[in-house]
């Protein structure tokens, strides 16, 4: 009888011990889940400021999103961090930039979560008020990263300064120019330095994020800029994540959050209308 009681007590003790172990596991698991509920958004420039505002907004709280914003000023490094997982989602790049990155990084693929805005690329000059005034042999600065080089050349073609070969590729460069009637020279620069070299060159192509940092408004200060239409749809900015995370529901909520009416009013007022909201399905970009 005593042996039977001993066995029963032993079994009860095992059950209690197992319960404690599972309870600890559950608590640590919940703590881990709570930690993973914080989404790290990587960004730069004015987008970094926007996402800091979004992270602290009531709209984020209503969606149950905890957002930590991390600044990485180099686009390739930011995409690498996203592919490797130290950044969950990034907010800084156009769809064409994302495509170019994926072409060059076969083992670090990213995917778009949704569209955010289009901000026109502009041609700026301290010397001339009109495109037609740029002289023969003039020097124009263009970005030295593949996606923005191609985007800049397409803009120069739209401005009537050059002509590109048919089926100009996403990673096209100056070798794809088939007509250059003004014998323009092209100087490749780090596109973040655009505002600082304006006084040295005849014209500089500057992305709007960089232009804003240099206190320039693409709609008012450029001598020519991209028109917002289907021809520029690959230049629409997107939220991006590692390809394996593209179906993450919380990450997808960030797209909805960005397009919230109160958030959009803040962006429009702060950036003087230069970040034009684009709320389109991803299929629109393809």
């Amino acid at each position: 009888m005593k042996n039977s009681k001993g066995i029963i007590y032993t079994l009860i003790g095992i059950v209690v011990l197992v319960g404690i172990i599972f309870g600890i596991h559950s608590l640590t698991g919940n703590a881990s889940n709570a930690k993973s509920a914080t989404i790290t958004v990587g960004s730069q420039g004015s987008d970094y400021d926007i996402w800091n505002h979004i992270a602290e907004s009531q709209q984020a709280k209503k969606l149950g999103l905890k957002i930590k914003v991390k600044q990485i000023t180099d686009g390739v490094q930011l995409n690498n961090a996203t592919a490797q997982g130290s950044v969950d989602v990034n907010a800084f790049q156009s769809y064409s930039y994302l495509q170019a990155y994926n072409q060059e990084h076969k083992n670090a693929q990213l995917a778009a979560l949704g569209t955010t805005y289009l901000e026109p690329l502009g041609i700026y000059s301290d010397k001339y008020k009109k495109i037609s005034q740029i002289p023969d042999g003039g020097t124009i600065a263009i970005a030295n990263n593949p996606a923005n080089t191609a985007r800049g050349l397409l803009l120069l073609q739209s401005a009537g300064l050059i002509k590109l070969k048919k089926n100009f590729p996403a990673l096209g460069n100056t070798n794809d120019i088939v007509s250059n009637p003004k014998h323009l020279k092209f100087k490749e620069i780090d596109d973040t330095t655009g505002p600082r070299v304006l006084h040295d060159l005849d014209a500089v192509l500057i992305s709007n994020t960089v232009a804003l940092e240099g206190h320039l408004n693409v709609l008012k200060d450029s001598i020519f800029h991209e028109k917002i239409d289907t021809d520029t749809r690959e230049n629409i900015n997107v939220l991006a994540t590692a390809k394996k995370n593209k179906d993450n529901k919380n990450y997808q909520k960030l797209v909805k959050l960005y397009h919230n009416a109160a958030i959009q009013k803040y962006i429009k007022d702060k950036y003087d209308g230069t970040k034009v909201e684009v709320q389109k399905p991803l299929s629109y970009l393809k």
Side-chain angles (χ1 to χ4, degrees):
M1 195 70 168
K2 287 182 179 179
N3 287 342
S4 298
K5 287 183 178 179
I7 291 170
I8 291 169
Y9 291 143
T10 301
L11 289 172
I12 291 171
I14 291 171
V15 169
V16 170
L17 183 60
V18 168
I20 290 169
I21 290 170
F22 274 100
I24 291 170
H25 177 75
S26 176
L27 285 172
T28 55
N30 288 340
S32 175
N33 288 339
K35 186 177 180 181
S36 66
T38 297
I39 303 171
T40 300
V41 174
S43 197
Q44 57 184 250
S46 56
D47 287 334
Y48 174 76
D49 296 332
I50 286 170
W51 279 94
N52 271 311
H53 172 81
I54 291 173
E56 297 170 3
S57 70
Q58 288 300 316
Q59 289 73 28
K61 291 181 176 66
K62 285 177 183 177
L63 285 176
L65 295 174
K66 288 183 175 181
I67 302 168
K68 174 185 175 184
V69 189
K70 186 174 184 178
Q71 181 161 224
I72 300 177
T73 57
D74 179 85
V76 174
Q77 288 181 18
L78 180 45
N79 272 343
N80 288 342
T82 307
Q84 293 160 8
S86 58
V87 165
D88 297 316
V89 174
N90 68 47
F92 80 100
Q93 67 192 316
S94 66
Y95 184 66
S96 61
Y97 189 100
L98 175 64
Q99 287 180 301
Y101 176 86
N102 278 345
Q103 285 185 36
E104 294 186 332
H105 299 81
K106 299 298 184 185
N107 297 319
Q109 296 289 285
L110 301 178
L113 288 164
T115 63
T116 52
Y117 65 85
L118 185 143
E119 50 186 351
L121 175 66
I123 303 174
Y124 297 80
S125 178
D126 272 354
K127 299 178 180 179
Y128 309 107
K129 299 294 184 185
K130 298 178 181 178
I131 282 289
S132 59
Q133 293 174 340
I134 295 176
D136 285 0
T139 300
I140 298 179
I142 58 176
N144 64 1
N145 65 70
N148 284 338
T149 298
R151 181 176 179 179
L153 291 173
L154 286 167
L155 179 59
L156 293 172
Q157 178 172 255
S158 295
L161 293 173
I162 60 172
K163 186 175 180 181
L164 300 168
K165 73 179 184 183
K166 193 175 180 181
N167 300 320
F168 178 69
L171 298 180
N173 55 48
T174 53
N175 294 326
D176 298 309
I177 297 172
V178 295
S179 176
N180 181 7
K182 285 196 169 188
H183 308 100
L184 298 170
K185 302 183 185 80
F186 302 98
K187 180 179 178 63
E188 292 193 359
I189 63 168
D190 179 331
D191 56 2
T192 62
T193 67
R196 298 199 295 273
V197 300
L198 260 176
H199 61 282
D200 296 325
L201 303 166
D202 294 295
V204 181
L205 275 67
I206 307 175
S207 68
N208 190 53
T209 296
V210 176
L212 287 169
E213 292 172 357
H215 307 291
L216 297 168
N217 181 310
V218 65
L219 305 178
K220 300 173 183 178
D221 300 319
S222 69
I223 60 173
F224 192 85
H225 60 76
E226 287 175 328
K227 302 299 183 287
I228 301 167
D229 55 32
T230 55
D231 291 337
T232 58
R233 62 187 174 188
E234 288 197 347
N235 299 332
I236 292 168
N237 274 42
V238 295
L239 297 183
T241 189
K243 194 170 184 179
K244 65 181 181 181
N245 296 328
K246 65 184 178 68
D247 296 322
N248 184 297
K249 299 300 182 186
N250 277 337
Y251 296 178
Q252 290 173 350
K253 285 182 183 178
L254 293 175
V255 180
K256 178 181 179 181
L257 177 58
Y258 180 86
H259 290 293
N260 176 276
I263 298 295
Q264 282 303 306
K265 183 179 185 308
Y266 167 83
I267 294 170
K268 183 177 180 180
D269 291 347
K270 186 170 178 65
Y271 298 103
D272 206 11
T274 62
K275 292 178 182 284
V276 182
E277 181 185 14
V278 178
Q279 192 170 12
K280 295 282 189 181
L282 291 175
S283 58
Y284 176 78
L285 303 177
K286 299 171 184 177

